């Protein structure tokens, strides 16, 4: 067993990125090479996932992401940054394909330092009493089983190179009840429980696990919210507005970075105060 | 892919390395010892499985094998030999 020591741990690829970032905060800071850290982001083709991919690329990470289909962003980035960016079409609910994707990334890039379980599925509002069985399976598989599988494969790769960090993107539906999203809420609450227990298991391997619990922010997922509901959300939010996607990405980025090196097992709510 | 003998050697070798790293007094692994007897904690066992997956290229526990059914090192070797053979098919 590794002895507990007060000495500083050996510098990792992530530390190197953070050190350069601290010295030159205004630039895209590290030219990616074989030693640069690797991040896996699920659902990085658009929305919050896309913003995270862009930020990680600009900070010198090599980034692997997947989604059901290409977008202009994934195609363009793969052309512009072939050594730094990898995209594959993978359906989140196909756990064998998700597992194979990470194995391919770990072999191709040689390591995995960060995982952001960003992808999620929220279908039209449906009362739990009348939700069809295959829709229940699909919601739980996409929002809970897939992140667990992805985490298991990534954590194994992280343990081989001395550690890493995992951020799960949860939802305020995990901590407050909302009509019509009971199954989604159950899956997201499960993800938060997974975060806490996993942090206990993986701490000894140098892997931190946290979740970000966003409130309402501008995204494809919240595009279906009616104007009336949007106004109601604004009224109930102490800060009086919905979040911009960058405000959620800031917190995810903080949890990925070495600036949060002593934070694990936590769920950070970013909701403008709507649940306080 | 490793041969049957290589799989045995890989399993014994990784166990010996992990126990040494954990500061457990070294002794030769024969195969008959229970995992509990060897003082393999759950964390060491997890690391063993992760390292063997990389070395052997197969993980029997990803499919049908349950860790609770593995009582001794020989059982573990047999599980990896089966998984390695299956991976070749």
């Amino acid at each position: 067993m590794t002895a507990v020591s007060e000495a500083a741990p050996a510098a990792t690829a992530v530390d190197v990125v953070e050190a350069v970032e601290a010295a030159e905060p205004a630039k895209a800071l590290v030219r990616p090479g074989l030693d640069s850290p690797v991040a896996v982001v699920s659902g990085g083709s658009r929305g919050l996932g896309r913003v995270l991919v862009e930020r990680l690329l600009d900070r010198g990470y090599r980034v692997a992401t997947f989604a059901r289909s290409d977008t202009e962003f994934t195609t363009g980035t793969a052309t512009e940054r072939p050594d730094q960016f990898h995209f594959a079409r993978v359906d989140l609910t196909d756990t064998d394909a998700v597992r194979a994707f990470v194995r391919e990334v770990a072999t191709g890039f040689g390591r995995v330092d960060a995982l952001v379980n960003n992808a999620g599925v929220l279908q039209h509002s449906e009362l739990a009493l009348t939700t069809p069985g295959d829709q229940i399976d699909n919601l739980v598989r996409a929002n809970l089983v897939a992140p667990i599988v992805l985490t298991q494969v990534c954590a194994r790769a992280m343990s081989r190179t001395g550690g890493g960090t995992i951020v799960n993107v949860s939802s305020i539906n995990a901590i407050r009840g909302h009509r019509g999203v009971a199954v989604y809420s159950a899956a997201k609450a499960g993800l938060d429980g997974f975060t806490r227990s996993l942090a206990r298991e993986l701490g000894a391997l140098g892997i931190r696990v946290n979740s970000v619990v966003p409130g309402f922010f501008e995204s494809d997922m919240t595009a279906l919210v009616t104007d009336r509901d949007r106004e109601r959300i604004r009224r109930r939010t102490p800060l009086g507005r919905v979040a911009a996607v960058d405000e959620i990405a800031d917190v995810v980025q903080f949890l990925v970075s070495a600036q949060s090196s002593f934070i694990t097992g936590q769920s950070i709510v970013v909701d403008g105060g709507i649940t306080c | 892919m490793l041969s049957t003998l290589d799989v045995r050697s890989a399993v014994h070798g990784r166990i010996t390395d992990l126990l040494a790293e954990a500061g457990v007094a070294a002794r030769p692994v024969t195969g008959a010892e229970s995992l509990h007897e060897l003082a393999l904690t759950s964390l060491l066992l997890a690391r063993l499985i992760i390292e063997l997956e990389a070395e052997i290229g197969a993980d029997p526990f990803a499919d049908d094998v349950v860790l609770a059914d593995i009582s001794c090192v020989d059982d573990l070797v047999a599980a990896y030999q089966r998984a390695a053979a299956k991976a070749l098919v």
Side-chain angles (χ1 to χ4, degrees), chain A residues 1-2 99 103 155-157 159-160 201 204-205, chain B residues 21-23 41 43 47 49-50 53-54 59 62:
Chain A
M1 192 176 295
T2 308
R99 214 183 281 273
R103 286 192 177 134
R156 286 182 176 210
S159 76
R160 293 187 191 113
E201 286 190 21
L205 298 173
Chain B
E21 191 186 314
T41 63
L43 180 62
R47 289 185 55 199
I49 290 166
I50 292 168
E53 183 190 20
D59 176 12

Side-chain angles (χ1 to χ4, degrees), chain A residues 146-159:
Chain A
I148 290 174
V149 168
L150 202 47
T151 298
Q152 188 187 45
V153 192
C154 285
R156 286 182 176 210
M158 287 172 186
S159 76

Side-chain angles (χ1 to χ4, degrees), chain A residues 25-204:
Chain A
K27 295 182 190 167
L29 306 161
V30 179
R31 186 173 290 281
L34 291 177
D35 293 334
S36 57
V38 174
V40 174
V41 179
S42 66
S45 64
R46 56 190 181 159
L48 174 62
R50 173 185 169 162
V51 173
L52 293 169
V53 167
E54 289 173 320
R55 288 180 175 212
L56 289 163
L57 288 171
D58 286 346
R59 278 155 184 80
Y61 279 79
R62 290 174 287 163
V63 180
T65 188
F66 65 87
R68 265 179 305 187
S69 52
D70 309 79
T71 59
E72 204 172 304
F73 166 69
T74 57
T75 311
T77 308
T79 306
E80 288 162 19
R81 302 168 123 163
D83 297 332
Q84 202 190 352
F85 179 72
H86 173 69
F87 173 80
R89 278 194 297 268
V90 175
D91 185 337
L92 190 60
T93 60
D94 182 350
T95 49
D96 286 341
V98 166
R99 214 183 281 273
F101 170 80
V102 179
R103 286 192 177 134
E104 185 191 335
V105 170
T107 306
F109 280 158
R111 57 188 304 138
V112 176
D113 300 279
L115 164 66
V116 182
N117 274 310
N118 160 72
V121 172
L122 174 58
Q123 289 158 342
H124 291 286
S125 243
E126 178 90 49
L127 292 183
L129 283 171
T130 53
T131 304
D134 59 347
Q135 195 170 314
I136 293 172
D137 282 349
N138 198 47
L139 282 167
V140 174
R141 186 174 286 271
N143 294 302
L144 183 58
V145 178
I148 290 174
V149 168
L150 202 47
T151 298
Q152 188 187 45
V153 192
C154 285
R156 286 182 176 210
M158 287 172 186
S159 76
R160 293 187 191 113
T161 50
T165 176
I166 297 166
V167 181
N168 295 318
V169 178
S170 177
S171 162
I172 55 165
N173 290 300
I175 54 175
R176 284 288 184 280
H178 293 98
R179 203 177 136 84
V181 290
V183 180
Y184 176 77
S185 302
K188 288 297 190 182
L191 195 58
D192 285 345
F194 178 62
T195 298
R196 287 186 287 274
S197 291
L198 194 68
R200 292 225 169 242
E201 286 190 21
L202 298 185

